């Protein structure tokens, strides 16, 4: 059996593959009224152990637009919720479906699933990475600022799953990423090691944002961390993206957020609803980026 290609983290792609994918996403977007339908009779299984709006809708609509079908499988409604082994589930689903997307709290479990799957497995978010988000984010940066190569972005806030994928994106797409987090919420060491000199860590959000062409943040409390919410609000309060922080960045800097957002917490309403924000294009691009990803993996 030929081993399938998986997408469990952004660095599973070579730099030229990542660029080609983003380019293809832009082509599909431009062709939105005359899309190809290569996936007739093909199926994507979507296993969700956590909530989702964008990821679910974009994968389901994307498969449909390309002529295929997507299957919503909330973990608790499958036998996974009754302790059927992950490996057995992977063997079974991958004999019936052409690809599997998983959102859960365990990168290790996604890797185990992939090891037993005959078909491509896509990380739809884990505790460590959110690679699909970054395909859309980089596409959005291309649209609103041109090629990210040689530019600087600033991540402000929690060093979470989305931050780790931004870190990998920096090396993959050749930009510099400034990361400002409290010391107890630093990003994953493995992502930092992969990115090397493409990433610089800061304690001070203003210093990180200085001159950046893009400012990005995410919720202070990711799914699964709700018990820490009160402490996080306190520790991360100084990392809110507001108009003062945006004023430190380049005059034409754009603001991104993977959503869902919490106005008044990680970002002010003035910024996310203001003229520099590109969050709605960013959300829409999940659709086009993932269609390009599905084409790439299922080709
Ligand atoms: N950004 C993102 O992944 O959104 P959902 O949680 O709604 O899928
Ligand atoms: N960091 C957030 C992203 C949600 C799309 C979380 O993991 O909840």
């Amino acid at each position: 059996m030929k081993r399938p290609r998986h997408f469990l983290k952004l660095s599973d792609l070579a730099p030229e593959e990542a660029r080609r994918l983003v380019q293809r996403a832009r082509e599909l977007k431009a062709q939105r009224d005359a899309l190809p339908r290569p996936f007739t009779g093909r199926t994507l299984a979507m296993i969700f152990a956590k909530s989702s709006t964008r990821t679910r809708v974009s994968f389901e609509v994307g498969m449909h637009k390309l002529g295929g079908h997507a299957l919503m499988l909330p973990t608790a409604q499958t036998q996974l919720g009754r302790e059927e082994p992950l490996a057995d589930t992977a063997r079974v689903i991958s004999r019936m479906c052409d690809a599997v997307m998983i959102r859960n709290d365990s990168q290790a479990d996604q890797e185990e699933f992939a090891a037993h799957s005959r078909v491509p497995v896509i990380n739809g978010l884990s505790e460590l990475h959110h690679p699909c988000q970054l395909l859309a984010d980089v596409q959005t940066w291309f649209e609103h600022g041109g090629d990210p190569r040689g530019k600087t972005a600033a991540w402000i806030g929690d060093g979470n799953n989305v931050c780790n994928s931004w870190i990998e994106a920096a090396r993959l797409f050749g930009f510099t990423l400034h990361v400002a987090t409290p010391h107890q919420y630093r990003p994953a060491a493995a992502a930092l090691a992969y990115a090397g000199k493409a990433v610089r860590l800061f304690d001070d959000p203003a210093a990180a944002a200085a001159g950046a062409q893009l400012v990005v943040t995410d919720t202070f409390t990711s799914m699964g961390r709700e018990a820490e919410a009160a402490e996080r609000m306190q520790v991360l309060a100084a990392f809110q993206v507001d108009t003062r922080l945006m004023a430190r960045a380049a005059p034409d800097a754009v603001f991104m957020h993977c959503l869902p957002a919490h106005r008044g917490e990680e970002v002010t309403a003035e910024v996310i609803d203001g003229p520099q924000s590109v969050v709605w294009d960013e959300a829409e691009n999940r659709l086009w980026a993932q269609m390009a990803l599905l084409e790439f993996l299922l080709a």
Side-chain angles (χ1 to χ4, degrees):
M1 184 180 76
K2 190 170 159 263
R3 290 198 57 72
R5 188 77 195 260
H6 303 298
F7 184 61
L8 299 178
K9 52 189 190 311
L10 204 62
S11 55
D12 289 345
L13 297 173
E16 58 282 7
E17 287 174 333
R19 281 187 172 262
R20 222 179 330 118
L21 264 178
V22 171
Q23 190 45 41
R24 181 61 184 153
R26 300 183 70 193
E27 280 167 24
L28 289 167
K29 189 176 186 178
Q31 271 172 245
R32 62 168 76 221
D33 296 320
L35 290 167
R37 292 175 66 80
F39 293 163
T40 313
R42 302 182 88 181
T43 304
L44 170 73
M46 306 188 296
I47 301 174
F48 280 98
K50 293 172 158 186
S51 305
S52 169
T53 297
R54 282 144 288 269
T55 304
R56 180 198 173 162
V57 174
S58 53
F59 270 113
E60 194 163 333
V61 172
M63 273 307 280
H64 177 75
K65 281 184 184 292
L66 294 172
H69 178 74
L71 219 72
M72 175 65 175
L73 299 171
T75 306
Q77 288 173 35
T78 69
Q79 298 289 10
L80 275 174
R82 296 180 60 254
E83 295 179 6
E84 180 166 9
L86 204 59
D88 293 358
T89 306
R91 291 181 181 108
V92 172
I93 292 181
S94 72
R95 281 172 181 242
M96 298 187 202
C97 297
D98 299 283
V100 182
M101 186 240 80
I102 307 178
R103 167 170 288 197
N104 69 4
D105 223 341
S106 172
Q107 186 78 21
D109 281 0
Q110 294 195 16
E111 278 162 18
E112 190 193 340
F113 192 106
H116 294 92
S117 172
R118 293 183 167 193
V119 300
V121 177
I122 298 168
N123 178 353
L125 181 143
S126 71
E127 86 288 16
L128 279 181
H129 294 280
H130 196 2
C132 293
Q133 183 67 49
L134 260 290
L135 293 178
D137 290 3
V138 172
Q139 180 187 349
T140 311
W141 200 358
F142 266 98
E143 290 172 357
H144 286 277
D147 193 332
R149 196 193 294 281
K151 297 199 170 84
T152 298
W155 174 277
I156 311 292
D158 183 21
N160 63 14
N161 42 12
V162 181
C163 179
N164 292 330
S165 290
W166 266 94
I167 288 169
E168 294 202 338
R171 169 166 161 194
L172 208 54
F173 289 94
F175 61 89
T176 299
L177 184 69
H178 292 173
V179 176
T181 69
H183 63 88
Q184 60 270 62
Y185 300 133
R186 291 268 200 241
L192 290 171
Y194 167 81
K197 284 197 299 235
V199 174
R200 280 183 61 198
L201 298 181
F202 291 75
D203 298 316
D204 174 17
Q213 281 94 6
L214 185 151
V215 177
V216 55
T217 189
D218 185 16
T219 182
F220 288 160
T221 305
S222 285
M223 291 181 277
R225 306 244 175 218
E226 289 77 5
E228 303 165 10
E231 191 187 337
R232 286 173 163 275
M233 282 286 272
Q234 220 175 4
V235 175
L236 283 152
F239 291 78
Q240 184 185 67
V241 178
D242 57 13
T243 48
R244 245 184 39 197
L245 190 72
M246 287 302 294
R248 307 279 309 203
D252 57 351
V254 292
F255 171 76
M256 286 196 200
H257 189 310
C258 65
L259 307 176
H262 309 80
R263 290 170 176 76
E265 295 181 17
E266 73 272 10
V267 61
T268 60
E270 228 178 331
V271 170
I272 194 167
D273 299 319
Q276 288 171 285
S277 171
V278 295
V279 298
W280 310 122
D281 287 338
E282 182 186 4
E284 178 191 328
N285 286 341
R286 293 292 303 278
L287 173 65
W288 307 110
Q290 284 157 201
M291 286 166 70
L293 176 69
L294 288 164
E295 265 191 359
F296 172 75
L297 293 176
L298 291 177

